[in-house]
Amino acid sequence: MRDKLFIDGQWLAPVEGGTFPVIDPATEETVFHAPAGTARDIDHAVRAARRAFDHGPWPRLTGKERAACLRRIAGIILARKEELARIEVRDNGKPLPEAIWDMEDTAGCFSFYAGLAEELDENPEEAIALSEPRFSSKVVREPVGVAGAIIPWNYPLLMASWKVAPALAAGCTMVLKPSELTPLTALELGAIAEEAGLPAGVLNIVTGLGPDAGQPLSEHPGIDKLAFTGSVPTGAKIMAAAARDIKNVSLELGGKSPFVVFADSDLEKAVEWIMFGIFWNQGQVCSATSRVLVEESLYPALLERLVVEAARITIGNGLENGTLLGPLVSRGQYEKVLAAIARGAKEGATIASGGKRPAGLDTGYFLEPTILTDLAEDNFVWTEEIFGPVVCVKPFRDEADAIRLANDSRFGLAAAVMSKDRARCERVARAFRAGIVWVNCSQPTFTEAPWGGYKQSGIGRELGRWGLSNYLETKQITAFEADEPWGWYIKG
């Protein structure tokens, strides 16, 4: 594991020489001491990225040339996916099969944006038809410049790829700051980029604590664009910092996503997708469908099956065969989730299942899958993002009631609907105030499709061609083509 920062193509010790512990959430053991970058390291990294953008080859390469490097990165990730996945499990706690899937998706993300980089060559400019025949006009797209990316701990390397891949495809340079809870695979990405032949300074990786490294990155005047994924409170601080210099900003923030299940749904399929929507990755998913709304006539049977199946989920160390639910990422997150459950119960919720440490797992940040019922609409656990394996289940009367309850949230990242009536699914999908809607499923995520939310769930879209547009500026070039003089001031 890497014990130095990756800046300007070199592995450098932090200027102040500090480190911070990396803790395995399944054992609570310190497995590594990562380099703790500070404002001086961030400044060094931003200056390196600026030189690479202003004077280096990367923005001036063709899309095809950049694509070749992105595909090499993808190939190295695939070749190392088992090793990288095991590092991710030690760092994050998720089950190994999930981590392997993450590595495959990470490689796929770099490959996808390699293809879009090549498409930039195919469409370098767009002619604009004008109402004035003496002028011609065209639009070109150019890289936005130096990007700063701050990523979360729930999908460490995958979330890095969602920002790094499109930024590099566009021709930008970048400073990447991973979460201090999960820094290890981000540092490995530096080694992978180096092996793939990425020019020095194009990708710089600075690990460190949020106030010491994340804040200086968001406030640095040398950054042209900020991309952040994480909580709403931190996103608000990032946005405020960006406002001082009027930086381009994209934010992917929290959610409290609804899953509406109508009475004609297949019971077993509904229970399976409800569990996948909240217990995958220990519920530490911004789009988790943590508010389940069930039509009244189906509610008792569904709740009974959900309680039974949730209790059967195998909990344990992510590196152990058969584990389907690992530990929460940190002691702080574990205590936060437990406190939320306790507050919800105090406000009247019933703990139908779970809510405590599993028997026999006395070490590690483990929590049983938790199902809460009897929820008032203003209960804390119904309205606030918990970010753990906690699902709130509530009955609804009819379609209008379901839509009202689903949309009654300050968040709007995702939503799901299940019914055998596809026309009804389409109506409800259109009625949701959310950026992502799933029909008869929950959580499938594809690199080709846009990702982002309404309301306090963020600004902008990642993934797909929309993700590439995050890192491109649009320039108009207009020319006066007539031989005649303009003649506004000088007559004759």
Side-chain angles (χ1 to χ4, degrees):
M1 291 183 277
R2 314 287 162 174
D3 61 356
K4 291 182 172 61
L5 310 173
F6 186 63
I7 299 176
D8 205 13
Q10 304 175 69
W11 293 98
L12 303 174
V15 171
E16 296 184 14
T19 65
F20 59 94
V22 177
I23 296 171
D24 183 334
T27 65
E28 302 185 41
E29 296 174 349
T30 298
V31 296
F32 190 65
H33 285 87
T38 58
R40 293 167 68 188
D41 301 295
I42 289 291
D43 183 63
H44 186 185
V46 172
R47 290 177 184 277
R50 173 57 61 192
R51 286 194 300 273
F53 184 80
D54 289 346
H55 307 294
W58 189 253
R60 294 155 190 86
L61 297 177
T62 64
K64 183 177 181 180
E65 290 169 325
R66 291 198 296 271
C69 188
L70 290 176
R71 289 199 174 96
R72 288 194 294 272
I73 291 172
I76 297 167
I77 290 170
L78 281 179
R80 295 183 57 192
K81 71 176 182 180
E82 181 82 20
E83 171 202 356
L84 292 169
R86 288 182 175 276
I87 294 173
E88 204 84 295
V89 174
R90 296 292 301 279
D91 214 4
N92 167 277
K94 65 178 64 189
L96 182 60
E98 294 186 23
I100 291 173
W101 194 350
D102 287 356
M103 297 308 114
E104 292 168 348
D105 282 353
T106 299
C109 187
F110 279 99
S111 294
F112 174 79
Y113 281 106
L116 290 193
E118 291 173 334
E119 289 182 17
L120 291 175
D121 289 346
E122 298 168 8
N123 302 287
E125 59 186 48
E126 176 186 355
I128 305 297
L130 302 177
S131 58
E132 166 57 82
R134 291 176 295 172
F135 292 85
S136 68
S137 187
K138 62 184 178 182
V139 165
V140 297
R141 292 184 296 170
E142 299 177 343
V144 71
V146 177
I150 301 174
I151 59 170
W153 44 258
N154 55 342
Y155 292 91
L157 191 57
L158 182 58
M159 290 296 98
S161 74
W162 283 22
K163 292 172 172 54
V164 174
L168 297 189
C172 295
T173 59
M174 176 170 274
V175 178
L176 174 67
K177 193 279 179 190
S179 168
E180 58 265 35
L181 296 178
T182 54
L184 300 182
T185 50
L187 291 170
E188 290 302 317
L189 181 60
I192 290 167
E194 186 178 35
E195 182 180 346
L198 191 70
V202 173
L203 177 62
N204 307 272
I205 301 168
V206 179
T207 55
L209 305 182
D212 298 335
Q215 184 175 343
L217 178 59
S218 65
E219 295 176 349
H220 200 291
I223 293 291
D224 299 305
K225 192 260 179 347
L226 276 170
F228 170 77
T229 297
S231 70
V232 171
T234 304
K237 293 177 182 178
I238 298 287
M239 194 171 179
R244 284 194 284 273
D245 296 319
I246 319 298
K247 287 185 176 70
N248 182 318
V249 62
S250 55
L251 304 171
E252 200 268 276
L253 306 177
K256 192 69 179 179
S257 302
F259 191 161
V260 173
V261 181
F262 285 95
D264 65 344
S265 301
D266 181 282
L267 179 60
E268 296 304 304
K269 291 178 180 178
V271 170
E272 169 66 23
W273 281 112
I274 288 168
M275 293 199 299
F276 192 80
I278 186 60
F279 299 139
W280 176 262
N281 202 40
Q282 294 68 251
Q284 298 167 141
V285 184
C286 55
S287 60
T289 38
S290 56
R291 289 187 300 140
V292 174
L293 293 156
V294 185
E295 195 165 6
E296 286 175 340
S297 60
L298 182 62
Y299 179 83
L302 185 144
L303 180 60
E304 181 180 358
R305 287 290 295 125
L306 183 60
V307 168
V308 169
E309 290 301 326
R312 290 175 175 168
I313 293 174
T314 304
I315 307 170
N317 190 312
L319 294 175
E320 295 175 355
N321 290 334
T323 293
L324 291 175
L325 190 76
L328 295 174
V329 73
S330 68
R331 177 174 296 280
Q333 186 63 18
Y334 176 70
E335 292 174 349
K336 177 184 174 184
V337 174
L338 283 176
I341 295 169
R343 178 170 175 179
K346 185 177 180 180
E347 294 180 8
T350 297
I351 301 175
S353 179
K356 60 185 184 302
R357 177 180 288 277
L361 291 173
D362 298 327
T363 301
Y365 310 126
F366 294 100
L367 179 65
E368 290 178 342
T370 301
I371 301 168
L372 302 177
T373 60
D374 302 318
L375 295 141
E377 291 179 35
D378 61 352
N379 190 303
F380 178 84
V381 293
W382 181 255
T383 61
E384 298 300 319
E385 185 176 43
I386 299 174
F387 227 62
V390 181
V391 63
C392 300
V393 188
K394 187 177 184 67
F396 68 86
R397 293 186 305 275
D398 53 26
E399 185 175 315
D401 189 38
I403 292 168
R404 179 189 67 81
L405 288 166
N407 287 337
D408 185 20
S409 174
R410 62 191 175 95
F411 300 108
L413 182 54
V417 57
M418 178 169 280
S419 172
K420 292 177 182 176
D421 184 340
R422 291 306 297 269
R424 177 161 58 188
C425 287
E426 182 68 19
R427 282 196 310 273
V428 174
R430 295 298 183 105
F432 283 143
R433 294 290 295 163
I436 304 151
V437 175
W438 295 293
V439 175
N440 291 328
C441 59
S442 178
Q443 303 308 308
T445 304
F446 300 96
T447 307
E448 300 86 352
W451 185 272
Y454 291 11
K455 299 185 275 189
Q456 290 189 27
S457 286
I459 297 172
R461 295 295 181 270
E462 295 190 302
L463 298 182
R465 57 185 172 82
W466 300 266
L468 182 67
S469 294
N470 270 337
Y471 298 94
L472 291 169
E473 293 279 21
T474 300
K475 176 183 285 185
Q476 171 209 141
I477 301 175
T478 297
F480 185 57
E481 304 287 1
D483 291 332
E484 64 195 69
W486 183 236
W488 186 267
Y489 292 105
I490 300 175
K491 310 296 183 181

